[in-house]
């Protein structure tokens, strides 16, 4: 498929593949930050002495 090929979306109408890719990239970028926070919290809990 080409980036300008379109498909019908049930909420927003016709969208092209470029639009879909940009949406996926932005979601991954947004959630990658959340994953970093979780990793740091896990690492910090591993460093605490056992109680």
């Amino acid at each position: 498929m080409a980036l300008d090929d379109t498909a019908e979306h049930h909420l927003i109408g016709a969208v092209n593949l470029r639009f879909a890719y940009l949406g996926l990239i932005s979601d991954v970028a947004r959630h990658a930050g959340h994953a970093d926070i979780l990793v740091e919290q896990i690492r910090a809990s591993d460093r605490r002495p056992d109680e």
Side-chain angles (χ1 to χ4, degrees), residues 1 5-9 13-17:
M1 293 182 73
D5 289 347
T6 60
E8 200 64 30
H9 186 275
V15 296
N16 59 22
L17 189 56

Side-chain angles (χ1 to χ4, degrees), residues 22-39:
L22 288 174
L24 288 171
I25 291 168
S26 66
D27 281 348
V28 168
R30 185 178 314 118
H31 294 295
H34 294 133
D36 290 342
I37 291 169
L38 292 174
V39 167

